[in-house]
């Protein structure tokens, strides 16, 4: 009996074979689409594809300039996300959180301030460090060279208030050196101290190094040796009452990313 296929039988066999081949190909196509979806899902969980949201960030006053730069960079790389910053002394920010002010992220200039609202925040991450310097008028007209010069009663010295992180750090280093300073005013945040020196309303003041660098055309900065200085730490945390928890967490994570860290370091902040 001949095994040769007639033309009709060949056409039927070809149709069956084609149908059989299409089943696994369709399955492969389905798997490929799933793979693409999975990749997309993975990307959406990355910093580059964080959920879109309008975020309110409460941040220490000394972060004013660098966070404006960081915010612009973040919005550019995260289309659809809008950052609104509220800058103030850390003690004021803590009070706002305690009073239930709506916000998504909190960044303070010391860990103690953050600890006061730990029931309202996620686990904080230190994103940067800072140090104090003596800010003087441009050209340092009164020749302030070291901390003990601030005790000169002929100088108008301004400090941050004791409840402000910069004020606490200032008190700590002055007390350690047994230096008594009688400030002409105590300001609600470190940027107010800087402003007094910029405007000539004070001859000198203790501010963060980054503050002095942000106004280098208006003030001079006198370095304080590490052995006499204090290290300020900046913790960042999401707020538990945030309505944008995932997006808030993505921003906090980004602050410690290579891009976020570079922006902080370019502004004079130190690695955590």
């Amino acid at each position: 009996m001949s095994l040769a296929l007639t033309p009709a039988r060949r056409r039927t066999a070809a149709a069956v074979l084609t149908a059989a081949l299409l089943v696994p190909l369709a399955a492969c196509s389905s798997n490929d689409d799933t793979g693409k979806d999975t990749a997309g899902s993975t990307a959406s969980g990355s910093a580059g594809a964080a959920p879109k949201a309008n975020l309110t960030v409460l941040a220490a006053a000394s972060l004013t300039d660098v966070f404006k730069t960081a915010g612009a960079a973040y919005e550019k790389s995260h289309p659809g996300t809008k950052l609104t910053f509220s800058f103030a002394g850390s003690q004021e920010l803590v009070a706002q959180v305690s009073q239930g002010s709506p916000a998504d992220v909190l960044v303070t200039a010391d860990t103690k301030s953050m600890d006061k609202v730990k029931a309202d925040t996620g686990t904080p991450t230190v994103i940067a460090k800072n140090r104090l310097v003596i800010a003087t008028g441009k050209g340092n007209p009164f020749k302030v060279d070291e901390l003990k010069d601030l005790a000169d009663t002929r100088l108008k010295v301004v400090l941050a208030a004791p409840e402000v992180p910069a004020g606490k750090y200032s008190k700590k280093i002055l007390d350690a050196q047994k230096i008594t300073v009688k400030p002409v005013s105590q300001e609600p945040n470190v940027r107010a101290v800087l402003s007094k020196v910029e405007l000539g309303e004070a001859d000198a003041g203790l501010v963060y190094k980054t503050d002095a660098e942000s106004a280098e055309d208006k003030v001079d900065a006198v370095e304080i040796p590490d052995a006499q200085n204090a290290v300020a730490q900046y913790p960042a945390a999401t707020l538990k009452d945030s309505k944008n928890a995932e997006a808030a967490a993505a921003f906090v994570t980004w602050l410690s990313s290579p891009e976020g860290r570079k922006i902080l370091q370019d502004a004079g902040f130190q690695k955590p």
Side-chain angles (χ1 to χ4, degrees):
M1 183 163 127
S2 175
L3 296 177
L5 296 176
T6 66
R9 285 180 177 175
R10 277 198 290 267
R11 286 194 296 271
T12 302
V16 172
L17 179 59
T18 300
L21 288 172
L22 285 174
V23 173
L25 285 173
C28 288
S29 175
S30 176
N31 287 340
D32 286 345
D33 289 343
T34 302
K36 290 177 183 177
D37 289 345
T38 301
S41 176
T42 301
S44 68
S46 69
K52 298 177 181 179
N54 292 327
L55 297 178
T56 297
V57 180
L58 306 179
S62 50
L63 293 166
T64 299
D65 296 303
V66 69
F67 264 22
K68 287 178 180 178
T69 300
Y74 190 79
E75 290 178 352
K76 183 177 180 180
S77 61
H78 298 74
T81 295
K82 173 68 176 176
L83 297 173
T84 299
F85 295 101
S86 177
F87 298 106
S90 295
Q91 80 288 352
E92 293 180 38
L93 302 178
V94 165
Q96 290 178 35
V97 171
S98 298
Q99 292 163 8
S101 296
D104 303 287
V105 175
L106 172 66
V107 190
T108 61
D110 67 335
T111 56
K112 288 184 178 179
S113 293
M114 184 68 76
D115 287 343
K116 290 179 180 179
V117 287
K118 61 183 178 182
D120 302 301
T121 70
T123 302
T125 300
V126 175
I127 61 167
K129 291 182 179 180
N130 215 338
R131 293 178 182 274
L132 293 176
V133 297
I134 303 170
T136 72
K138 196 63 182 172
N140 193 2
F142 294 92
K143 308 303 178 188
V144 176
D145 295 319
E146 52 187 331
L147 278 175
K148 68 179 184 180
D149 291 341
L150 299 180
D152 189 335
T153 55
R154 292 172 297 179
L155 281 181
K156 291 185 292 183
V157 178
V158 63
L159 301 173
E163 62 270 19
V164 182
K168 294 175 184 175
Y169 295 131
S170 298
K171 184 178 187 306
K172 179 180 179 180
I173 66 174
L174 290 171
D175 287 350
Q177 300 301 313
K178 297 181 171 55
I179 298 171
T180 300
V181 175
K182 295 182 178 179
V184 294
S185 69
Q186 293 180 311
E187 301 301 319
N189 61 67
V190 72
R191 296 308 287 249
V193 175
L194 180 67
S195 179
K196 290 278 188 180
V197 178
E198 285 180 315
L199 296 172
E201 296 175 10
D203 302 319
L206 288 173
V207 302
Y208 296 119
K209 182 177 181 179
T210 53
D211 292 307
E213 289 184 2
S214 73
E216 61 184 1
D217 58 331
K218 298 178 181 178
V219 303
D220 279 0
V222 178
E223 296 284 343
I224 300 172
D226 287 348
Q228 299 177 13
N229 215 329
V231 178
Q233 298 191 73
Y234 291 75
T238 57
L239 292 174
K240 290 182 179 178
D241 286 343
S242 169
K243 295 181 180 178
N244 306 291
E246 193 176 351
F251 177 65
V252 170
T253 298
W254 179 85
L255 289 171
S256 294
S257 71
E259 183 182 5
R261 189 162 289 176
K262 183 179 186 303
I263 291 172
L264 287 162
Q265 290 176 358
D266 286 349
F269 288 86
Q270 299 173 314
K271 281 185 178 182

